[in-house]
Amino acid sequence: MNTPRLSLFSFFISIIKRKIILFATTVFVMLIWAAQTSAAPYVLKYIIDQLTSFQGSFHETLSHLQYPLLLYAFLWMVYAISMRLWNYLDIRLFVQIRREVAMQMVTHVSGQSHEYFQDNFAGSLLNKINDLVDGTALVLEKILDGFGHLMMLTIAIVTLTLAHPFFGLILLSWSIVSLFIAWYFSGRIQKRAVAFSKERTFYVGHIVDMLSNSINMRLFAQRAYEIDRIDTTVKRTAERDRELRWEQLKLKAIWDGSIVIMVWSMLLTLLFMYSEGKISIGDFSFVIMLSVSAFHFVRRFLREAMSLSGEVGKCKQALTLLNTPYAIEDSPNALPLKLKQGAIDFKEVTFAYPNKKENPIFNEQNVEIAPSEKVGLVGFSGAGKTTFVNLLLRLFDIQKGRITIDGQDIREVTRDSLRNHIAMIPQDTTLFHRTVMENIRYGNPKATDKEVIEASKKAFCHDFIDLLPEKYDTLVGERGLKLSGGQRQRIAVARAILKDAPILILDEATSSLDSVTEHAIQESLSELMKGRTTIVIAHRLSTLALMDRILVLEQGKVIEEGTHTQLIAKKGTYERMWQMQAGGFMPLEDA
């Protein structure tokens, strides 16, 4: 089922619930910390008042004040211990939060449809994932930090009010005004932060897109064009950043002004009351120390609130990833596919791509493929060959009809079990930026090194791998770009051999190979096809000569079917394609 739509608040609450013990312990430590920050100035006030009224030698004074001095030292020891305990809890709590949010994001995004990844920049998705991972930890950390400072401020106001109600009232009034100002600006800052995060996501996506296609940029000499294109997004991002920082600057200026006014008001009032004999030196020191601490608490709280607004804005933008429902998902009662023979049946299948619903590729199309049958798909560009395979793999869902394997509707089985029973060798092979060994073993993660090497020998890639600098431990580069197209395709063949699935799909599997290597691999593929239901897409019609049956597609319809010999004898579309080929390749023009 789709992930329920989350508000940012409910998302944060779900994180807190999972770590409630650590959060509660952290809050308790902060309360101790808050109590110490108000108690220490009061003990110091008592010490100063005693010093001004007591006359005696050093030892006599020390004896007279030994308990207040020990209490004062103890309070600072409590402060030091609580700070280090907070650091320890910070490590325990927020490292775990980052890990859990990262895995939640990756798990959800990786389950999205094929179309979803076609429509979104990989860089943009990565940026959003990082924003939510880092943003969640920062927001919750700032909430805890802000709560701690708010508790300190509250205790400071209560303590000052009990000792000197007039000064407590002044501090309370100033704090309320300061918090109201922070609340007012937080909404404005958050709005600017959302806009900035959105633009930054586009900017990162464009850069990753350019870097991923650097070879095209060089081949077409379009470096200047790409730089200008990115410059446009950078300018928009910079403008949103400027607007965000301007709001933050206005808030800082207002609260800095209020602190200056407050400090001078407090000092003048204290001097007047001291000159009138209404307060002692200790009171003077106590009020100043507690007021300065309160200013510090409010300043920290407002700074965290301002930063919090920016992070909340980023998190809201990033949370859209978790709130994007799956276009394709397992049904609630989906069961693993139980494949016995490998019979494939398209029953009155109607399918149109989401952006072209008025022009369906297939319209009530029926196709049956018998167990272990080898079927070729041919047709001009746009005929529906790749779509046929994508629907079988359930990369897209059909609008009407059924697709079954051994009588099981593929919408009623789990997607993983469906794809585990199908091995595909695509035309455009991309590899992970991992070792050759890891890329081949991807077909069967449990395979031994010996089994991987055996598969590579059958795919005729062992010899070139043996010449690589680190042999099977050689990194292939991003998307496998350190290898040639033919080498990548041979690794894809080895991966499929290692998977050993009962259904095999070949999409121009040998198109990037030279004729000698192709002939050798065709022998391995012929062996691999034995006993397997096989679908082969090929423009090189000579590769289909040994198929049990060939389906000729045109605009999503099967217009001819039969063996190679039968179709040539019909002198229809297939025969026309055969005659038009030069060197065994399909013509490029559409039908």
Side-chain angles (χ1 to χ4, degrees):
M1 296 178 65
N2 279 328
T3 302
R5 185 170 182 82
L6 290 170
S7 67
L8 193 60
F9 177 76
S10 61
F11 175 70
F12 288 153
I13 291 297
S14 70
I15 298 293
I16 292 172
K17 284 181 178 178
R18 296 202 294 267
K19 303 295 178 186
I20 190 64
I21 295 177
L22 282 173
F23 269 99
T25 306
T26 303
V27 170
F28 178 71
V29 170
M30 285 183 161
L31 287 173
I32 295 174
W33 183 17
Q36 183 275 341
T37 56
S38 291
Y42 189 82
V43 173
L44 186 60
K45 160 194 155 20
Y46 178 82
I47 292 172
I48 291 173
D49 283 340
Q50 290 296 311
L51 283 173
T52 56
S53 61
F54 182 80
Q55 297 293 325
S57 66
F58 170 74
H59 292 290
E60 290 172 334
T61 304
L62 185 62
S63 176
H64 180 69
L65 294 175
Q66 60 179 326
Y67 293 113
L69 289 171
L70 286 172
L71 178 58
Y72 189 70
F74 173 75
L75 288 172
W76 278 103
M77 184 177 69
V78 169
Y79 172 81
I81 292 173
S82 62
M83 283 293 292
R84 298 295 75 80
L85 187 56
W86 155 250
N87 293 148
Y88 168 76
L89 291 169
D90 179 83
I91 294 171
R92 285 286 307 277
L93 183 59
F94 296 109
V95 168
Q96 290 182 31
I97 286 175
R98 280 187 168 88
R99 175 183 175 274
E100 289 189 10
V101 175
M103 292 312 301
Q104 186 175 353
M105 291 287 283
V106 169
T107 300
H108 182 79
V109 172
S110 63
Q112 288 290 0
S113 66
H114 183 60
E115 183 185 11
Y116 178 85
F117 291 104
Q118 290 177 326
D119 292 340
N120 288 276
F121 284 126
S124 296
L125 296 176
L126 176 60
N127 193 57
K128 285 185 178 181
I129 290 172
N130 285 334
D131 276 351
L132 194 61
V133 170
D134 293 336
T136 298
L138 284 171
V139 166
L140 294 178
E141 188 173 14
K142 290 178 185 302
I143 287 174
L144 278 176
D145 201 26
F147 172 79
H149 283 90
L150 191 60
M151 288 300 98
M152 293 175 194
L153 177 63
T154 302
I155 293 173
I157 291 173
V158 170
T159 304
L160 188 57
T161 301
L162 291 174
H164 295 285
F166 176 74
F167 290 108
L169 181 61
I170 292 176
L171 187 59
L172 175 63
S173 301
W174 175 81
S175 299
I176 291 173
V177 171
S178 296
L179 294 176
F180 175 79
I181 292 171
W183 172 80
Y184 172 77
F185 274 95
S186 66
R188 298 167 64 89
I189 290 172
Q190 191 177 125
K191 182 180 178 181
R192 299 287 189 269
V194 169
F196 168 62
S197 179
K198 187 175 181 179
E199 289 296 344
R200 190 180 65 155
T201 296
F202 284 129
Y203 145 66
V204 172
H206 281 298
I207 290 178
V208 173
D209 188 44
M210 181 195 72
L211 295 177
S212 298
N213 291 278
S214 59
I215 185 64
N216 288 330
M217 179 181 67
R218 290 179 174 84
L219 291 176
F220 289 90
Q222 294 295 345
R223 179 167 170 264
Y225 169 78
E226 290 297 328
I227 290 174
D228 287 343
R229 192 165 179 267
I230 290 173
D231 184 51
T232 301
T233 62
V234 171
K235 285 179 181 176
R236 289 201 303 265
T237 304
E239 184 59 31
R240 300 294 87 78
D241 190 19
R242 189 179 299 110
E243 292 170 354
L244 172 61
R245 291 175 183 273
W246 180 244
E247 290 296 335
Q248 293 172 335
L249 178 60
K250 286 190 284 187
L251 175 57
K252 288 178 181 178
I254 291 173
W255 88 40
D256 283 346
S258 71
I259 288 177
V260 171
I261 294 171
M262 189 64 184
V263 168
W264 275 102
S265 299
M266 280 285 195
L267 279 173
L268 291 175
T269 305
L270 283 168
L271 286 171
F272 172 77
M273 293 184 73
Y274 178 73
S275 65
E276 294 292 316
K278 295 181 179 180
I279 59 173
S280 66
I281 289 293
D283 291 325
F284 193 103
S285 171
F286 171 66
V287 171
I288 286 295
M289 287 184 65
L290 211 54
S291 296
V292 169
S293 294
F295 298 151
H296 172 71
F297 300 152
V298 172
R299 187 183 185 89
R300 281 291 301 271
F301 180 82
L302 294 179
R303 187 174 69 186
E304 296 298 340
M306 182 177 66
S307 178
L308 181 67
S309 296
E311 292 300 329
V312 166
K314 291 180 184 178
C315 288
K316 279 186 174 180
Q317 172 68 13
L319 193 64
T320 57
L321 287 188
L322 284 182
N323 284 326
T324 302
Y326 290 156
I328 298 176
E329 57 184 335
D330 292 340
S331 67
N333 301 315
L335 298 171
L337 175 65
K338 295 181 179 179
L339 197 147
K340 298 177 181 178
Q341 296 178 308
I344 299 170
D345 192 0
F346 278 54
K347 297 181 179 179
E348 298 185 351
V349 168
T350 297
F351 172 76
Y353 287 103
N355 57 342
K356 296 180 180 179
K357 290 190 176 181
E358 68 284 356
N359 295 314
I361 301 293
F362 295 117
N363 191 6
E364 298 185 356
Q365 181 64 55
N366 292 290
V367 175
E368 291 185 17
I369 300 177
S372 303
E373 185 179 17
K374 298 187 289 293
V375 175
L377 299 181
V378 300
F380 292 108
S381 177
K385 304 182 297 297
T386 300
T387 301
F388 184 93
V389 168
N390 287 341
L391 294 180
L392 179 60
L393 288 163
R394 207 181 166 213
L395 298 179
F396 298 91
D397 265 342
I398 59 177
Q399 282 81 46
K400 292 181 182 179
R402 297 177 70 207
I403 300 175
T404 65
I405 297 179
D406 286 343
Q408 301 162 82
D409 192 323
I410 64 172
R411 288 173 297 189
E412 300 303 320
V413 301
T414 61
R415 288 169 295 169
D416 283 348
S417 68
L418 168 68
R419 294 162 191 169
N420 276 335
H421 285 89
I422 301 174
M424 181 172 179
I425 305 174
Q427 178 179 5
D428 182 19
T429 300
T430 58
L431 303 177
F432 291 98
H433 182 33
R434 302 171 190 172
T435 65
V436 173
M437 179 71 75
E438 288 174 299
N439 273 285
I440 297 176
R441 186 178 276 130
Y442 207 74
N444 179 8
K446 296 181 180 180
T448 64
D449 289 358
K450 183 179 179 181
E451 289 170 331
V452 171
I453 293 171
E454 185 62 29
S456 70
K457 287 179 178 178
K458 290 180 180 178
F460 292 87
C461 55
H462 176 74
D463 289 343
F464 86 77
I465 293 172
D466 208 40
L467 296 175
L468 295 174
E470 302 296 329
K471 302 185 185 306
Y472 281 87
D473 291 326
T474 301
L475 290 171
V476 301
E478 187 176 3
R479 296 170 61 85
L481 293 179
K482 287 186 177 181
L483 304 178
S484 69
Q487 289 173 330
R488 291 198 300 272
Q489 205 154 22
R490 276 180 274 174
I491 286 178
V493 172
R495 190 164 56 190
I497 291 172
L498 192 65
K499 187 172 184 179
D500 194 27
I503 297 176
L504 180 64
I505 298 174
L506 309 178
D507 185 0
E508 291 290 341
T510 58
S511 62
S512 297
L513 306 176
D514 60 83
S515 57
V516 175
T517 304
E518 181 194 12
H519 178 73
I521 288 183
Q522 284 290 1
E523 293 181 4
S524 294
L525 292 177
S526 296
E527 189 66 28
L528 184 63
M529 291 179 197
K530 288 181 180 179
R532 290 178 170 81
T533 304
T534 305
I535 299 172
V536 179
I537 298 174
H539 287 126
R540 194 179 301 177
L541 300 185
S542 58
T543 64
L544 301 175
L546 299 178
M547 294 292 102
D548 298 324
R549 186 160 51 112
I550 298 171
L551 304 181
V552 182
L553 297 176
E554 185 176 287
Q555 296 181 353
K557 295 180 181 179
V558 178
I559 58 172
E560 294 178 5
E561 64 177 294
T563 64
H564 172 74
T565 304
Q566 291 170 342
L567 291 175
I568 291 294
K570 284 183 179 180
K571 296 191 179 298
T573 301
Y574 183 85
E575 194 271 342
R576 182 165 63 92
M577 291 178 180
W578 180 263
Q579 295 299 329
M580 291 173 66
Q581 283 193 348
F585 290 97
M586 286 284 293
L588 295 178
E589 67 268 17
D590 288 342

